[in-house]
Amino acid sequence: MLKRHIALILCICMALLLTACDPAEDPADIGASPTPNYAEGFSEAGAVFSGGVAEQEGVNLREYSVEYAEDVSTVTLSFVQGSKVAGDADESEVAALPQYRVYLTDAPTRLAVELTGVTYWDYGYNTSTDADSCVLQTFRSTVSDSAVSTLYMQLSAQCVFDVAADGGNIVIRLLAKSLDAEVPVATDSVEQLDTSRYYCMGNTYRSYLNGVISSDEALTPTLTNNLNTIVMISEPFGTMAEAEAFRNELMTRYDTLANAYWEVITLDDAELPELSSTYEFQVAASYKAARIEGIEVALELSLANGVYMCVNPNNDGIVYARFSDIEGSSQSAEELWTKDAQGNESRMLRQQFYSIESVSYSPNGNYFIVLERTLSGSALYLYDGYTNELISDLSRAGFGNMVSSVIWDFFGTKLYAIGGSTELGIHQYDLSVRAALNRHSVVYQKSFDDSGLCYLDGELLFVRSSQEEGAYIYSIMPDGGSQKRMLKGSSFALSPDSRYLAYIDTGDYLYEDTNTTVYIMDTATGDVTEFDPGFPVYSLAWTCDSSRLLYFENRISSDSEDGQDDPDGETEALDAYPYTLYSYTIASREIKRHADLSTMYITASPTNPTAIYVMHYALDEFDINATYILNLR
C-alpha cells in the first residue's frame, strides 16, 4: 500500500514539473480542448499565455512583423525602451517585457494580445506582413482611462497557437486547423444537428472606447468584412432566441444607443460580420434633426458621413470633412474628401486634421485653404487647387496659431486672416509675390475684436471695441493707411453679392444691457434699414442670392449646466432643439420662423437660395456626422 502511495506522489510531482515548463498560463488554460496530433506543441482557443512586468516606463512596441513558412504564421512583437519617433535620442533594450496576455477568440477568429504599461506605439512605422499568412489585418483598441491596450489580429481561419518570450520579443506561432480533420456526417438514423451560431453585433465601437458601454459586457471589437470598420460582437449563442434576448438586454441598459443597429447575425468559423453598405445612410436618414411647428422631423439627407465645407470649382462638386478613427484611441481625426458632379467620391489629402473649421477656394480656383482647429489653437494651410499639393503652412509662415476669419480678395491672389501667436493682427499672404519668404505681411496690429473680417470695395472691415465707447466696425486699406470708423456694431455679415452689410450691436449681455435691433446697410446707397426680432442676435448669415438674412434665437439657459431649475427644486431636461432659425426677407421685410434645431452649425447652399445645410456633429455613438438640407418655406 505504501509503494502505491509513493508511486502516486511521484506521478503528481512529474505532472507539476511538466506544467511548470509551459509558458505562464491563466486559470482559463485549465480544461482547454486537447491539441490535435497534427499541431503538437500548439494550444487550442481557451488557453491564455501571460508574462511580463506591468510597472515600467517608456516601453515602446517598436516593430510588428508576420512571417509565413511551412504552414506556420509567426508574429513577432519587438519592444525597446524609449522612442526616437517621440524625440528620444536613443532607444535601448527593455529590462523586461511589458505585462502581456495572449489568447484566441472564437468566431470571428482573432488573436488578442493585451499589453499593460506600453507608452509608445511605433510599430505603425515598422510593420511587415506576409500576404500568405493567416493574419488578415491588425488593429489596436484602448478603452478610456485603462492602462491596458489590446492588439487584435484578425485571422483568416481557426487556428491553434503557441507563445514564447525571446529577449525583447513576444513570438507567437499560428497554425490553421487542418482541413482534413474528420467531420461527423448525418445518417438516416441520426438527425443532423444544427451547428449554427448566433451573435449580437452593434456598430458601437466608439461608445465602447469612451466607456459608455461597460468593458464587462460580453462584447469584444472585431473588424467587418471590409477589414476597415470595427464593430462590437458578442460571444456565440446556440439559438436565435438567446442572441435576441442578449440584444434586448443591451438595448434596455444602453437606451441612448438603442438605434445603434444592434443586430443578430450568424457566422461561419472564418467568416467576418458584414455591415450593410447602406448602414450610414439608414442611421443618418432616420435621425430627426429638426422640429418644425412642434413636430420632430427627419430632414433631407445630403451627406451620410460628412460635414459640408464648400463648393469645389474644379470638379463642379463639393468638398466635405469625413471622420476617421485614430488607431488605439477613442479620439477621431478628420479627412478632407470631395464629391464630383457625377457623385464620385475621393479623398483629397493624405493629411489628417484634428478638426476642420473651414475650407475656402480662391475666386479663380487656383488655390484653397484649410483652417484646422487644434487643442493648442489653430493652423492654416494653403494648397494648390488643382493638384491638392501643400504650398505653405501659413501658421508657421507668420499667421501664428490663433487664426480665424480667413477671406480672399476679389482676384484670388491675396489671402487675409485674423491671426497671431501672442496678440491678434490682420495678416496678408500675397501669392503674386515671387519669393515665398516675402509673401507674408501684417496689415493691422492694434487691439481689436475677433468678430469677423470681410473684403468690401477694396477695403478690409473688422470690429474694434473699448470700454468707454463700445464696439465699432472699422475699415482699412490692405496696403496700409489709417483705420476709419464706419458703423456702431459688434458683429457683421456681408451678403454674397456685396450689396448689403448686416450688422448688430448687442451691447453687454453680461449686464443685461442688450440691444435686439438688427441693421442692414445698402452698400451702394448707404441707406440703413432695421428690424427688431425681439431677442439678442449674435451671428448672421445670408442666402446665396442675398435675398434673405438668416439668424438664430439661442434659447439655452445659462442658469444650470444640466437643465433649468424650477421653484420646486427639480431640474427640467434641456430642450433637444434649443436653437430657432429665422429669416428676414430684404424685399418684403418679412420675418419667418423656420425650424428649431439642435445645432447652429449651418451654411447656405451655394446654388439654391431656399436650401440651408445643417451640419450635425452629435452622432458619436454611430461614428457618423451628417449634413442635412433644410428647405426654407
Side-chain angles (χ1 to χ4, degrees):
M1 179 68 69
L2 180 60
K3 290 182 179 179
R4 288 184 180 179
H5 283 306
I6 293 173
L8 180 59
I9 292 171
L10 289 173
C11 289
I12 293 173
C13 291
M14 287 297 292
L16 290 172
L17 287 171
L18 289 172
T19 304
C21 295
D22 289 339
E25 298 179 348
D26 275 8
D29 287 328
I30 300 172
S33 302
T35 306
N37 293 333
Y38 69 85
E40 187 173 352
F42 289 82
S43 298
E44 290 271 10
V48 180
F49 292 81
S50 60
V53 178
E55 300 299 327
Q56 298 187 75
E57 293 184 0
V59 176
N60 178 14
L61 175 52
R62 185 179 62 181
E63 295 182 17
Y64 162 87
S65 67
V66 183
E67 298 179 349
Y68 180 77
E70 299 180 356
D71 298 329
V72 175
S73 300
T74 302
V75 179
T76 303
L77 305 178
S78 300
F79 298 86
V80 296
Q81 198 79 24
S83 166
K84 290 183 178 179
V85 174
D88 293 345
D90 296 306
E91 295 174 344
S92 58
E93 294 183 2
V94 289
L97 287 170
Q99 183 173 304
Y100 64 86
R101 294 177 73 247
V102 185
Y103 53 92
L104 286 171
T105 70
D106 210 335
T109 307
R110 288 152 291 165
L111 176 73
V113 182
E114 292 182 1
L115 297 167
T116 302
V118 175
T119 304
Y120 306 110
W121 303 90
D122 294 352
Y123 74 94
Y125 302 95
N126 306 288
T127 297
S128 61
T129 303
D130 195 321
D132 294 328
S133 75
C134 61
V135 179
L136 294 173
Q137 186 64 277
T138 302
F139 66 94
R140 177 166 59 91
S141 178
T142 306
V143 176
S144 179
D145 298 327
S146 173
V148 179
S149 292
T150 304
L151 207 63
Y152 286 99
M153 300 169 207
Q154 211 83 37
L155 307 180
S156 60
Q158 286 194 328
C159 294
V160 290
F161 74 124
D162 178 55
V163 180
D166 181 16
N169 303 321
I170 298 175
V171 181
I172 306 163
R173 295 188 303 152
L174 294 163
L175 176 63
K177 288 188 175 181
S178 174
L179 299 177
D180 299 328
E182 294 185 2
V183 178
V185 179
T187 64
D188 295 337
S189 59
V190 180
E191 182 180 353
Q192 176 68 50
L193 296 176
D194 181 8
T195 59
S196 298
R197 291 185 291 180
Y198 300 88
Y199 300 80
C200 176
M201 179 187 74
N203 193 13
T204 55
Y205 179 57
R206 189 178 303 282
S207 296
Y208 167 74
L209 293 180
N210 286 327
V212 176
I213 295 178
S214 171
S215 57
D216 294 332
E217 299 284 6
L219 294 167
T220 53
T222 182
L223 287 170
T224 59
N225 61 345
N226 63 16
L227 295 181
N228 182 46
T229 305
I230 303 173
V231 297
M232 302 301 294
I233 197 164
S234 70
E235 296 176 350
F237 294 93
T239 66
M240 173 74 78
E242 291 174 329
E244 288 180 340
F246 179 80
R247 177 196 61 187
N248 294 338
E249 289 177 8
L250 288 174
M251 292 179 65
T252 300
R253 283 198 294 276
Y254 304 107
D255 55 346
T256 58
L257 308 180
N259 296 322
Y261 206 69
W262 297 112
E263 181 184 12
V264 173
I265 60 172
T266 59
L267 291 178
D268 293 334
D269 289 342
E271 189 178 11
L272 293 177
E274 179 179 359
L275 193 63
S276 169
S277 60
T278 61
Y279 166 76
E280 292 176 350
F281 178 86
Q282 291 170 345
V283 172
S286 65
Y287 180 77
K288 292 179 171 57
R291 184 175 60 207
I292 299 176
E293 296 181 352
I295 300 174
E296 297 180 4
V297 296
L299 299 177
E300 178 185 348
L301 184 62
S302 175
L303 293 167
N305 189 8
V307 175
Y308 172 85
M309 288 292 158
C310 69
V311 167
N312 187 338
N314 297 324
N315 66 5
D316 295 323
I318 63 169
V319 175
Y320 65 94
R322 173 185 280 184
F323 279 67
S324 63
D325 289 321
I326 298 176
E327 186 183 20
S329 171
S330 61
Q331 302 297 317
S332 62
E334 285 188 291
E335 301 169 349
L336 201 63
W337 286 66
T338 185
K339 179 191 288 188
D340 64 21
Q342 289 72 44
N344 301 311
E345 298 177 280
S346 60
R347 185 174 173 181
M348 295 177 64
L349 308 171
R350 292 183 60 85
Q351 181 180 357
Q352 287 186 318
F353 303 89
Y354 181 81
S355 177
I356 299 176
E357 184 84 3
S358 64
V359 179
S360 174
Y361 274 83
S362 60
N364 53 23
N366 291 339
Y367 311 100
F368 69 89
I369 58 94
V370 176
L371 178 59
E372 176 188 24
R373 194 65 55 199
T374 69
L375 288 174
S376 59
S378 59
L380 183 63
Y381 306 94
L382 175 67
Y383 297 88
D384 186 291
Y386 295 96
T387 66
N388 298 339
E389 294 179 354
L390 179 66
I391 295 175
S392 177
D393 179 345
L394 296 181
S395 295
R396 295 177 181 271
F399 280 66
N401 65 345
M402 299 188 298
V403 183
S404 63
S405 303
V406 186
I407 59 171
W408 293 92
D409 73 347
F410 179 79
F411 301 101
T413 57
K414 293 180 181 179
L415 181 71
Y416 301 97
I418 295 175
S421 295
T422 57
E423 59 181 352
L424 293 178
I426 299 176
H427 294 250
Q428 174 184 262
Y429 194 79
D430 189 349
L431 285 155
S432 65
V433 176
R434 183 179 296 274
L437 292 176
N438 298 327
R439 291 174 179 171
H440 170 259
S441 61
V442 179
V443 175
Y444 181 85
Q445 192 140 21
K446 295 181 181 179
S447 63
F448 68 102
D449 301 356
D450 191 1
S451 298
L453 189 67
C454 75
Y455 188 80
L456 174 63
D457 294 333
E459 293 185 313
L460 296 171
L461 272 57
F462 62 96
V463 173
R464 184 180 182 186
S465 63
S466 66
Q467 290 183 344
E468 296 80 13
E469 298 181 302
Y472 280 86
I473 300 171
Y474 290 81
S475 66
I476 191 172
M477 294 295 294
D479 295 332
S482 301
Q483 61 180 3
K484 294 181 294 183
R485 181 183 289 186
M486 287 181 57
L487 302 162
K488 186 162 181 25
S490 57
S491 182
F492 58 85
L494 184 67
S495 63
D497 62 1
S498 298
R499 176 68 186 272
Y500 302 104
L501 181 71
Y503 59 98
I504 49 182
D505 180 25
T506 53
D508 194 342
Y509 67 92
L510 292 176
Y511 298 97
E512 299 183 355
D513 182 20
T514 55
N515 182 1
T516 61
T517 304
V518 178
Y519 306 89
I520 301 175
M521 184 183 76
D522 187 320
T523 60
T525 65
D527 296 336
V528 176
T529 59
E530 61 184 62
F531 68 94
D532 188 349
F535 50 82
V537 174
Y538 298 101
S539 61
L540 303 164
W542 290 90
T543 55
C544 65
D545 64 349
S546 304
S547 67
R548 284 197 267 193
L549 180 68
L550 305 171
Y551 58 95
F552 277 101
E553 177 187 9
N554 183 345
R555 291 177 287 101
I556 288 184
S557 170
S558 60
D559 295 336
S560 171
E561 183 177 349
D562 298 320
Q564 297 174 349
D565 296 332
D566 64 18
D568 296 328
E570 296 182 359
T571 299
E572 179 184 348
L574 286 177
D575 186 356
Y577 305 93
Y579 310 108
T580 302
L581 178 66
Y582 289 84
S583 71
Y584 174 84
T585 302
I586 299 297
S588 65
R589 300 190 177 186
E590 180 184 12
I591 294 176
K592 279 190 177 181
R593 175 175 178 160
H594 295 286
D596 299 326
L597 303 175
S598 58
T599 176
M600 288 198 296
Y601 288 102
I602 67 163
T603 189
S605 164
T607 55
N608 184 352
T610 64
I612 302 298
Y613 289 123
V614 179
M615 280 71 79
H616 199 286
Y617 289 87
L619 294 177
D620 287 345
E621 64 269 31
F622 309 118
D623 289 345
I624 291 175
N625 290 274
T627 300
Y628 300 91
I629 297 175
L630 172 64
N631 292 302
L632 304 180
R633 294 168 291 145

